Amino acid sequence: MTTLTAKKSIFDMNNEEFERLVKPVALKAQQTALDNGAWFSYKNELCVEADMFIHEFKDGHKELIKLGNQPGEYTVLKAF
């Protein structure tokens, strides 16, 4: 006979429970992307327009970028 343990549905979790569940998976995916030469993007206080983002790379350098008109096109406004 097999014993099953019920798990809480993600729809019944509060924010803290959901974050605890997905955070390790998200961090692993982020590291895999960085290891494969990609960057990750986010917004902070430097992103004063809707089409501005920060690109952060594996070696730790960051770029403030502004999206272009075509897919994949962007301009580096500041590197740091």
Side-chain angles (χ1 to χ4, degrees):
M1 178 173 3
T2 303
T3 302
L4 300 174
T5 303
K7 301 221 185 229
K8 192 173 193 178
S9 166
I10 62 168
F11 300 106
D12 294 327
M13 292 180 181
N14 62 34
N15 289 340
E16 293 80 24
E17 292 170 322
F18 184 73
E19 183 176 326
R20 194 170 44 250
L21 176 70
V22 300
K23 190 171 186 175
V25 176
L27 290 174
K28 184 176 179 183
Q30 177 182 330
Q31 189 59 51
T32 299
L34 290 172
D35 290 344
N36 289 321
W39 59 82
F40 64 99
S41 300
Y42 56 91
K43 288 183 169 279
N44 67 13
E45 67 280 353
L46 298 174
C47 305
V48 295
E49 297 176 22
D51 58 353
M52 296 171 100
F53 293 88
I54 302 294
H55 283 175
E56 188 167 336
F57 298 85
K58 184 176 182 175
D59 65 3
H61 89 272
K62 300 174 186 177
E63 297 173 343
L64 173 63
I65 64 102
K66 182 176 176 91
L67 297 177
N69 294 327
Q70 300 298 317
E73 180 182 272
Y74 65 91
T75 302
V76 177
L77 302 174
K78 180 179 179 180
F80 49 102

